[in-house]
Amino acid sequence: MIVFVVRRLIETVVVLVLVSFIAFSLLHITPGDPALFILGDTATPERIQALRQELWLDQPLYVQYARWATNLLQGNLGNSIVFRESVAKLFAVRLPITFHLGIVALFLSILVSIPAGILSAVRRGGWLDSIINVSANLAMAVPIFWLGILGIYFFALNLRWLPVQGYTAPTDDFWLSTRQLVMPAICLALVPLASLTRQTRSSMLEVIRQDYIRTARSKGLSEWQVITEHALKNAIIPVVTLLGMQLRNLVGGAILVEQVFNIPGMGRLLVSGVFGKDYILVQGMVMIVGVVVALANLAVDISYGYIDPRIRYDE
Amino acid sequence: MDHLLEVRNLTTQFKMDNATVHAVDGVSYHVDAGEIISVVGESGCGKSASQLSILQLIPTPPGKIVGGQVFFDGADLLQFKSDSEPMRAVRGGKIGMIFQEPMTSLNPVLTIGRQIVESLMLHLKMDAGTARARAIELLQVIGIPDAEQRIDHYPHQFSGGMRQRAMIAMAVCCNPKLLIADEATTALDVTTQAQLLELLREMVHRLNMALVIVTHNLGIVARYAQRIYVMYAGRIVESGTAKEIFGDPRHPYTVGLLKSVPRLDEPKGAQLVPIPGLPPSLTQATTACAFYPRCARRVDACQRDAFPSLTQINGQHYVACHLPVTQPSVTASPVVMPTSENKRAVSDETLLNVQQLKMYFPVTKGLLRRKVADLKAVDDISFAIQRGETLGLVGESGCGKTTVGRCLLRLYRPVSGEIHFEGRDIALLSKSQVRSIRHKMQLIFQDPYSSLDPRQSAGDIVGEPLKVHRLVKSKGAYRDRVAELFQMVGLDPNLADRVPHEFSGGQRQRIGIARALATNPSFIVCDEPISALDVSIQAQIVNLLDELQDRLGLTYLFIGHDLSVVRHISDRVAVMYLGRIVEMTDCESLYANPLHPYTRALLSAVPIPDPFVEEKRGQVILLKGEVPSLLNPPTGCNFHQRCPIATAECRQAVPPLRDAGANHHVACFHWGGL
Amino acid sequence: MSTTIIPSAPQTSTAFGDLQTPHTKSWQRFLRVFLGRKVVIFGAVIIAILIFVALTADWITPYDPYQQNLRESLKPPSSAHWLGTDALGRDTLSRIIYGTRTSLAVGVNSVGLAALIGMTLGLLAGYLGGWISTLIMRCVDALMAIPPLMLALAIGAALGGGLNNVIISLGISLIPTYVRLMRGQVLAVKQSDYIKASEIIGSSDLRTMLAHVLPNCLSPLIVLITLNLGVAIIAEAGLSFVGLGITPPGAAWGSMVNDGYRYLLSNPILSFAPGFCVMLVVLAFNLVGDGLRDALDPRLRGTL
């Protein structure tokens, strides 16, 4: 188990180094002089020269990378071109907002999907199964930005149940904050919810037809005991894998949801960065998300060891 | 109602894609308290489905119990719902069940102890502490060493035999009145099988339980069962005491079954008589006799009239046949040909000579995956095969027999040793050099399902070697040769455009054989070629291999775990244990005069499908413990820890394979003193 | 040698005895399962309509999708303009019809690109193994650590918007799944006995690879490609919605939703209609993909 964890740790470091290559190269796949590309044709030569200096563009590529990476390791993500402010500081303000939205959506999707998946599998072929299946199929197909607009139209503009847009920190006004978060969180939870439901259902169906479930039944356990004590722990293993992957969907979805609901989080920051050709910001964003996703996957893999004794006692 | 369990007219169906499978079709039988009975039949005959049905354990849907009654302890179990309180009290509490696959029948994420304790707490209302103490006690009784520690282990930390012991502990922990063993030992090695069956018999006697043994193995039936039900196509076709069934079989299917299995005690040269054809698919509700298409004694009435009901012959002997075999004297054992005429022409030319073959696999460990040890799969073995001869290589799983075959075919490059094939040492040839001799040596695989490319047509599979080695000049010649090969293995050449999944297991194995024959090889390794097939199909393939050898002058290395089959087909047999050959001799003397203590135990563990013989055989020699791990083999003689006659010498030195006279080789220091 | 054959059972082992299996072709089963479910047919019909509309857009649109007419701006649905007009007076229905081209072009090309590169890399990683496999897989892990939409945005930022750049950036972000699936398939198939059989009969490695390994790896990849068409289309809509996809005046459903968002209170149909089209098309590809999976290989259920 320790060997397994150490090996995964090394892999994660390697992956992060490669992510940094990707982030670094973003600036260099632009056609022509990056500084000129960023600032546009109207910029003065002095301004361009200053930016070239700031980005070490005169140095050889490997020196550029080395300097950039060294700064990165010290927590210095550079200064945003658009906001003229340290990228780290920008993140410090925006990250909690997206985190708030993401964590609510994540819990929402886990809390709904796992019971729904189990129910769907246990009642296979019944009307409940059909409803859950159809809903999951629709949820996978609906563009969440469009669903958000639909929600705003009906629940905010027409029915006036919920506020239209915006974000308030829960520490400022908890009730308003929660009301504002309802629609964005549901929209963001939708895709993970649907795929986790489908995965829970199919792995549950897979487990239910295993020999050891028949053994459990042959002991006289009730159907409830068979499901909760024997099937669930086995069925949850692939669901946990998928859970690790859902972080990607949440980050991607947050970009759209923040756009629709006008939430000043990381997603909107990224969009402004992209439009402002603010490579420093985009690089920093790619790095920070890469780290979070890679660590989440590491956590998932390690958690396997606790769920699945076959991994725990390997080697 | 005197019977412990009485099943009347049980009918179970499975709804598949757009067909209904009549898995159990009006089955009636009974079990008395303390009795051992057996339900015997080939795969798909409904023997397991009927057992699962009485406990309502069949998957619903697609399965459904359509009708019948199951009286147990005076109540009809089928009146209860599957998940109801009284049904669950019977399940595990009054009727225990042991399943076939020890690898998949235990929950991988729960400890062994937890899986026993939960039954005790459920049915005997024990508290956790008492239940745990009882579980440890049970594991000790069942023969698991260090039970106090092992109780907290997970199934994957147990060997197959140990898992099945744990499974038995689970099934008997609540003192049920009836125990059902559904192919419980099929997946295990023969010596482990013997250990477990003896254990089961002892448990049943001690606790006064009744036992139902569900199996396809006629030997087990003959050795253990008092009464027997023979099933075919979802129905019971014959029932009676063991001696009635084996001594006086009346149903043509029973007779056919008995004639199609090789026996360990048969004289050399016996010929198997296979049952032609395949078991029916059971998707159509048959009203007439289902055995009609395969029956040697059929008459028109069999097809016209309704399914014959079980009628009493005498005593407890019942048979369901319009024209039961009438001569009670008809011999059940295979037809014996005069040995002198039957001797194959084995030439004096040595085709294959293996000297000091060693095949080690590296064992890696730790972060850097450094090599820490060698897994000695094949450890210094030598043997020779004459042209036209069959050498049988027999041993239990993990003994290295398959690795030997793969080394000979140079799928592996041995660590050291010589393999002289047709006079040339091929042990260390390069990959491309090996490719140039591939056409001379071929392999027949064990699994007819995974050894054929599912996307190729049967014709392409058989013809591919011809293309690879450019053995045919034209398209016409190619087609002719493929057709010839199809005919050679008994397949209709018109089936060449079909893909593998359209064939039955036996037919697929024939395709595999045709592929192996395509290049006219002189030597074929048969790696357990029939162990995945049903009993009645096994005989067809065994006979085909025999016939092809005679016709084409082939030389076989026949690898197997079933001693009866290996002995039947081979001229000489080599017995392997943990990477070494322990004994090698001709078939006759192997059975008549085994010299190595392991061979003796192995022979004794194999049951013979004849209760009269079994009665006289006496006590089974049970080996102590389990086969040691190849990662940590014992010093000296591999077998010394389990050997009844081991001495200090055996612990220190490896006994060489020595000639004990008359070409009988044995690797034991004490063979003379036995 | 006739002595081994006993007279009472002549040639038993070579008799054409066991030939009772019905001759069911694999494609018959495929069609039965595939077309057996109504939702799959529904999906297939939607896709057929989509392709038809995309191909015949030039003839079936009532108006020029790019023609601005400020006097006709923001008209509600009428018999002249079934879905009304946008702020620049362009016919919404015509723009939706042209949007099918964008969706289909992005879907097919980006998935094609990803599948081609991803499957090649997966094949190499699976077949060669060793450090090449490690290298490829770590790169894939790195690519997977960046969410697809974010990666596409970042690449789009460097390359700029427009159809081709959207295709490239989405294509890159879709590569990892193909590499992983292909490698897994190759590793699994390589273990089969029939690959060993191919070695035994003396086939060269290349022949084994192309004739036996590759064809047996493809079923799940076909399913993945179908499902990914939906994924690419919804991602393109997202990119266009944010403003980094298809640039105006090009017609793309995502940017139409965004354009209409401003007039949500007065003309909700401007947003609703194109978004509904995205959902319908993605749903169709998902349904057909699921159907293909069940028909090609039911064991894949749950893994794809």
Side-chain angles (χ1 to χ4, degrees):
Chain A
M1 180 72 188
I2 289 169
V3 171
F4 168 74
V5 171
V6 172
R7 187 171 286 144
R8 280 293 291 116
L9 212 60
I10 294 171
E11 269 177 27
T12 305
V13 172
V14 172
V15 165
L16 286 177
V17 170
L18 289 167
V19 170
S20 78
F21 284 156
I22 296 174
F24 176 73
S25 62
L26 279 176
L27 186 60
H28 297 274
I29 56 171
T30 52
D33 181 359
L36 193 66
F37 185 78
I38 291 170
L39 297 171
D41 297 334
T42 53
T44 60
E46 293 77 37
R47 177 84 183 90
I48 290 176
Q49 194 48 46
L51 188 65
R52 290 183 66 85
Q53 210 91 69
E54 194 187 329
L55 300 181
W56 312 289
L57 287 175
D58 302 323
Q59 309 277 336
L61 217 53
Y62 67 90
V63 177
Q64 292 183 36
Y65 176 75
R67 292 188 170 212
W68 179 74
T70 313
N71 277 342
L72 208 62
L73 285 176
Q74 292 163 350
N76 179 1
L77 296 170
N79 285 318
S80 159
I81 296 162
V82 172
F83 296 91
R84 312 235 165 187
E85 205 181 329
S86 137
V87 170
K89 263 189 196 152
L90 284 170
F91 286 175
V93 179
R94 311 290 187 110
L95 205 56
I97 297 175
T98 304
F99 185 75
H100 181 201
L101 175 63
I103 206 85
V104 172
L106 187 65
F107 272 100
L108 197 65
S109 56
I110 293 173
L111 288 180
V112 177
S113 66
I114 290 174
I118 294 171
L119 212 60
S120 187
V122 174
R123 301 255 180 276
R124 185 189 188 176
W127 59 271
L128 203 61
D129 183 29
S130 303
I131 290 178
I132 291 173
N133 261 327
V134 169
S135 314
N137 260 327
L138 280 174
M140 298 282 276
V142 67
I144 56 174
F145 56 91
W146 179 71
L147 190 74
I149 292 174
L150 233 55
I152 289 174
Y153 182 75
F154 287 108
F155 298 112
L157 297 178
N158 282 343
L159 296 170
R160 296 182 182 280
W161 290 351
L162 293 166
V164 179
Q165 286 184 327
Y167 178 81
T168 313
T171 42
D172 292 346
D173 182 345
F174 185 78
W175 180 232
L176 178 63
S177 167
T178 304
R179 273 160 43 89
Q180 278 178 333
L181 209 64
V182 170
M183 282 200 291
I186 290 175
C187 284
L188 191 56
L190 214 57
V191 173
L193 199 160
S195 43
L196 289 175
T197 305
R198 286 167 61 123
Q199 180 64 66
T200 309
R201 176 179 187 268
S202 57
S203 66
M204 199 70 191
L205 285 176
E206 181 64 30
V207 167
I208 285 177
R209 52 182 199 83
Q210 294 299 314
D211 289 346
Y212 55 80
I213 296 300
R214 188 178 59 187
T215 308
R217 289 200 179 115
S218 81
K219 291 180 191 168
L221 297 175
S222 69
E223 221 26 52
W224 172 253
Q225 285 171 306
V226 171
I227 297 291
T228 54
E229 288 167 29
H230 283 263
L232 195 56
K233 206 174 167 192
N234 285 288
I236 214 75
I237 294 170
V239 179
V240 173
T241 317
L242 193 69
L243 197 63
M245 313 265 282
Q246 288 312 315
L247 206 64
R248 290 152 31 94
N249 284 338
L250 282 175
V251 175
I255 299 172
L256 297 170
V257 168
E258 290 180 9
Q259 199 71 10
V260 173
F261 291 96
N262 200 15
I263 296 168
M266 295 288 275
R268 273 192 79 92
L269 187 66
L270 175 69
V271 173
S272 345
V274 165
F275 275 106
K277 293 179 180 167
D278 189 343
Y279 287 95
I280 313 302
L281 183 61
V282 174
Q283 281 180 337
M285 186 84 77
V286 168
M287 254 348 274
I288 201 102
V289 169
V291 170
V292 172
V293 171
L295 288 181
N297 283 334
L298 181 68
V300 163
D301 282 357
I302 291 173
S303 74
Y304 271 174
Y306 292 93
I307 303 173
D308 192 343
R310 284 164 294 189
I311 292 178
R312 198 185 318 159
Y313 291 101
D314 224 25
E315 297 181 273
Chain B
M1 197 86 55
D2 304 316
H3 303 307
L4 174 65
L5 172 78
E6 184 173 6
V7 177
R8 284 192 204 150
N9 221 2
L10 184 69
T11 306
T12 301
Q13 297 174 350
F14 290 85
K15 289 239 184 318
M16 291 310 172
D17 274 350
N18 44 15
T20 303
V21 177
H22 301 262
V24 182
D25 204 1
V27 162
S28 306
Y29 66 96
H30 68 265
V31 189
D32 290 325
E35 187 185 31
I36 300 182
I37 71 151
S38 179
V39 179
V40 65
E42 295 177 273
S43 62
C45 72
K47 57 188 191 298
S48 289
S50 56
Q51 303 307 310
L52 292 173
S53 294
I54 64 167
L55 286 178
Q56 299 190 37
L57 281 175
I58 54 158
T60 324
K64 192 170 192 291
I65 299 166
V66 185
Q69 289 143 317
V70 176
F71 291 102
F72 180 79
D73 254 4
D76 180 6
L77 295 183
L78 292 185
Q79 70 182 340
F80 305 123
K81 281 192 156 174
S82 174
D83 198 27
S84 64
E85 199 74 41
M87 192 65 222
R88 287 195 282 116
V90 170
R91 241 185 257 145
K94 300 206 176 94
I95 303 179
M97 193 150 178
I98 304 163
F99 297 99
Q100 175 173 6
E101 284 294 331
M103 302 317 247
T104 56
S105 290
L106 295 176
N107 195 331
V109 300
L110 301 178
T111 61
I112 296 286
R114 165 81 208 276
Q115 295 183 57
I116 300 173
V117 163
E118 75 183 346
S119 286
L120 292 169
M121 292 171 73
L122 183 77
H123 292 291
L124 304 183
K125 311 283 175 236
M126 287 184 183
D127 61 78
T130 327
R132 188 181 157 86
R134 175 86 185 110
I136 292 174
E137 197 183 317
L138 260 167
L139 288 176
Q140 281 162 345
V141 170
I142 230 84
I144 290 182
D146 309 323
E148 289 92 349
Q149 280 90 50
R150 297 294 260 168
I151 191 170
D152 291 320
H153 283 197
Y154 289 90
H156 74 277
Q157 295 167 292
F158 275 51
S159 70
M162 286 295 177
R163 288 184 202 202
Q164 208 60 327
R165 282 175 195 267
M167 186 87 216
I168 293 174
M170 276 170 218
V172 302
C173 68
C174 301
N175 304 319
K177 293 180 181 168
L178 175 66
L179 198 58
I180 300 171
D182 184 4
E183 299 269 14
T185 57
T186 305
L188 302 172
D189 276 321
V190 62
T191 53
T192 316
Q193 171 176 297
Q195 289 174 339
L196 287 188
L197 285 170
E198 290 298 319
L199 175 72
L200 263 181
R201 172 149 70 180
E202 190 209 313
M203 295 287 285
V204 165
H205 280 308
R206 182 140 47 108
L207 304 171
N208 195 29
M209 286 185 253
L211 174 65
V212 178
I213 299 176
V214 180
T215 184
H216 68 279
N217 185 328
L218 292 170
I220 293 177
V221 177
R223 185 178 279 181
Y224 295 102
Q226 291 157 359
R227 281 189 309 115
I228 297 167
Y229 292 91
V230 181
M231 280 190 79
Y232 184 77
R235 291 188 171 118
I236 288 170
V237 293
E238 188 163 3
S239 69
T241 64
K243 287 182 178 169
E244 282 165 348
I245 298 280
F246 282 92
D248 180 21
R250 294 302 186 100
H251 196 281
Y253 175 66
T254 317
V255 175
L257 214 51
L258 289 172
K259 281 186 182 172
S260 64
V261 289
R263 291 170 53 159
L264 198 55
D265 62 336
E266 74 193 9
K268 190 57 193 167
Q271 177 84 14
L272 304 181
V273 185
I275 305 172
L278 289 176
S281 69
L282 301 181
T283 43
Q284 270 113 40
T286 46
T287 46
C289 177
F291 191 62
Y292 172 81
R294 305 176 75 187
C295 186
R297 300 167 52 84
R298 63 190 173 195
V299 293
D300 285 345
C302 300
Q303 198 178 17
R304 197 178 54 236
D305 295 350
F307 182 83
S309 54
L310 280 167
T311 36
Q312 189 172 19
I313 302 288
N314 50 46
Q316 305 197 58
H317 197 169
Y318 291 79
V319 65
C321 182
H322 292 300
L323 293 162
V325 179
T326 40
Q327 295 163 288
S329 61
V330 83
T331 170
S333 54
V335 181
V336 180
M337 297 305 293
T339 350
S340 55
E341 277 180 67
N342 206 347
K343 202 73 180 173
R344 242 192 311 265
V346 175
S347 79
D348 292 335
E349 182 199 344
T350 302
L351 181 76
L352 190 83
N353 190 358
V354 177
Q355 290 302 320
Q356 286 153 4
L357 185 71
K358 290 182 185 170
M359 183 66 215
Y360 299 168
F361 296 99
V363 180
T364 59
K365 217 181 165 181
L367 200 57
L368 302 169
R369 300 190 197 277
R370 265 180 320 176
K371 186 183 145 181
V372 290
D374 275 321
L375 189 144
K376 300 182 178 178
V378 176
D379 196 12
D380 192 3
I381 68 169
S382 307
F383 61 87
I385 309 179
Q386 306 302 116
R387 189 180 282 279
E389 186 192 27
T390 301
L391 176 69
L393 193 57
V394 69
E396 299 180 284
S397 51
C399 73
K401 55 188 191 299
T402 295
T403 312
V404 170
R406 297 200 162 167
C407 285
L408 300 189
L409 293 166
R410 281 304 317 278
L411 282 170
Y412 295 143
R413 187 191 171 98
V415 174
S416 70
E418 294 162 27
I419 303 169
H420 294 279
F421 177 67
E422 295 188 338
R424 180 181 179 200
D425 185 5
I426 61 164
L428 300 169
L429 292 187
S430 73
K431 221 175 167 183
S432 58
Q433 285 172 315
V434 168
R435 207 170 286 146
S436 68
I437 56 156
R438 283 262 181 253
H439 65 280
K440 290 187 189 160
M441 38 192 354
Q442 283 295 319
L443 173 65
I444 297 169
F445 289 85
Q446 171 176 15
D447 183 356
Y449 291 88
S450 73
S451 58
L452 306 179
D453 185 342
R455 300 202 172 259
Q456 265 187 315
S457 73
D460 288 344
I461 290 171
V462 172
E464 194 178 2
L466 301 174
K467 289 186 196 158
V468 169
H469 295 282
R470 300 200 175 78
L471 293 175
V472 282
K473 300 275 182 301
S474 65
K475 277 222 168 100
Y478 172 80
R479 263 197 308 275
D480 290 348
R481 176 67 179 148
V482 170
E484 188 192 345
L485 287 163
F486 266 63
Q487 256 152 354
M488 224 185 259
V489 298
L491 286 173
D492 183 349
N494 293 323
L495 301 173
D497 61 334
R498 297 197 184 183
V499 289
H501 86 260
E502 298 175 57
F503 293 93
S504 69
Q507 288 174 315
R508 282 158 167 262
Q509 204 55 303
R510 286 171 195 264
I511 296 171
I513 294 171
R515 171 176 62 193
L517 294 175
T519 55
N520 266 325
S522 51
F523 174 60
I524 296 183
V525 175
C526 309
D527 191 356
E528 307 236 15
I530 61 164
S531 55
L533 304 173
D534 254 326
V535 178
S536 68
I537 310 297
Q538 283 188 351
Q540 295 178 4
I541 300 295
V542 166
N543 282 5
L544 174 65
L545 287 172
D546 249 342
E547 200 183 291
L548 289 169
Q549 180 167 44
D550 289 338
R551 187 135 46 111
L552 305 171
L554 296 168
T555 307
Y556 291 144
L557 177 72
F558 193 95
I559 298 169
H561 68 274
D562 185 333
L563 209 53
S564 318
V565 172
V566 174
R567 187 177 168 274
H568 172 86
I569 200 163
S570 309
D571 300 306
R572 285 187 303 135
V573 176
V575 180
M576 278 189 81
Y577 183 78
L578 274 180
R580 295 184 189 144
I581 291 179
V582 296
E583 186 161 6
M584 181 159 59
T585 180
D586 62 85
C587 295
E588 302 284 348
S589 54
L590 182 79
Y591 179 69
N593 184 26
L595 296 181
H596 197 282
Y598 175 66
T599 316
R600 290 176 170 232
L602 206 58
L603 285 166
S604 147
V606 178
I608 292 170
D610 189 334
F612 303 100
V613 175
E614 276 296 329
E615 226 174 33
K616 291 185 224 122
R617 278 183 90 190
Q619 204 62 36
V620 180
I621 305 173
L622 290 181
L623 288 176
K624 287 178 278 182
E626 302 218 296
V627 182
S629 157
L630 272 174
L631 284 173
N632 187 18
T635 56
C637 175
N638 273 339
F639 190 60
H640 78 80
Q641 290 162 335
R642 309 177 72 194
C643 183
I645 57 164
T647 58
E649 188 186 10
C650 305
R651 277 184 277 279
Q652 278 140 22
V654 180
L657 194 65
R658 288 181 299 184
D659 197 339
N663 235 348
H664 192 150
H665 292 78
V666 62
C668 179
F669 293 121
H670 306 297
W671 64 269
L674 279 169
Chain C
M1 278 220 206
S2 57
T3 44
T4 54
I5 294 161
I6 53 167
S8 62
Q11 296 264 329
T12 333
S13 60
T14 49
F16 297 161
D18 47 356
L19 290 180
Q20 303 170 348
T21 37
H23 188 43
T24 48
K25 278 280 180 197
S26 43
W27 59 265
Q28 284 172 338
R29 196 200 86 89
F30 173 81
L31 281 184
R32 196 184 64 232
V33 178
F34 185 65
L35 298 177
R37 298 218 314 263
K38 287 196 184 72
V39 283
V40 178
I41 305 224
F42 169 77
V45 168
I46 301 278
I47 293 171
I49 293 174
L50 174 79
I51 294 169
F52 174 80
V53 167
L55 290 177
T56 60
D58 289 335
W59 297 286
I60 60 169
T61 42
Y63 297 91
D64 180 344
Y66 308 116
Q67 182 66 54
Q68 302 186 3
N69 183 353
L70 291 176
R71 269 177 303 170
E72 288 284 305
S73 77
L74 292 174
K75 284 276 186 287
S78 65
S79 57
H81 297 280
W82 289 1
L83 294 176
T85 59
D86 66 7
L88 299 173
R90 296 175 296 192
D91 181 51
T92 306
L93 180 62
S94 302
R95 286 183 68 73
I96 283 181
I97 289 174
Y98 269 80
T100 58
R101 285 191 168 177
T102 311
S103 287
L104 212 57
V106 171
V108 170
N109 288 307
S110 60
V111 171
L113 184 77
L116 201 68
I117 299 174
M119 282 162 66
T120 312
L121 289 176
L123 194 64
L124 287 175
Y127 191 66
L128 299 174
W131 66 269
I132 296 182
S133 167
T134 312
L135 181 75
I136 293 175
M137 293 323 288
R138 288 298 88 76
C139 288
V140 162
D141 286 346
L143 220 48
M144 284 200 102
I146 308 167
L149 191 64
M150 190 166 152
L151 187 65
L153 267 175
I155 297 172
L159 298 177
L163 190 64
N164 287 336
N165 289 343
V166 169
I167 289 171
I168 291 171
S169 51
L170 279 181
I172 292 175
S173 66
L174 290 174
I175 288 174
T177 2
Y178 288 92
V179 184
R180 288 192 155 190
L181 187 61
M182 190 71 189
R183 175 172 170 272
Q185 282 292 109
V186 172
L187 290 181
V189 172
K190 256 170 80 180
Q191 293 298 314
S192 329
D193 276 352
Y194 59 82
I195 299 304
K196 207 144 271 151
S198 175
E199 192 183 343
I200 294 264
I201 62 167
S203 304
S204 63
D205 286 358
L206 192 69
R207 186 193 173 94
T208 305
M209 195 67 211
L210 296 179
H212 300 289
V213 178
L214 193 60
N216 282 294
C217 290
L218 293 179
S219 307
L221 284 141
I222 292 169
V223 177
L224 182 66
I225 287 173
T226 316
L227 292 171
N228 254 344
L229 284 168
V231 171
I233 288 172
I234 205 167
E236 178 270 321
L239 275 180
S240 296
F241 174 78
V242 172
L244 250 173
I246 308 308
T247 37
W253 292 340
S255 48
M256 289 174 73
V257 173
N258 194 25
D259 291 344
Y261 190 16
R262 262 169 277 168
Y263 310 100
L264 186 60
L265 212 48
S266 56
N267 294 50
I269 191 122
L270 285 179
S271 260
F272 289 3
F276 182 75
C277 290
V278 176
M279 186 179 78
L280 206 60
V281 168
V282 175
L283 184 67
F285 279 113
N286 286 352
L287 291 175
V288 170
D290 285 355
L292 271 178
R293 180 196 54 204
D294 292 354
L296 282 174
D297 192 349
R299 283 165 302 170
L300 296 171
R301 200 173 295 155
T303 54
L304 276 178

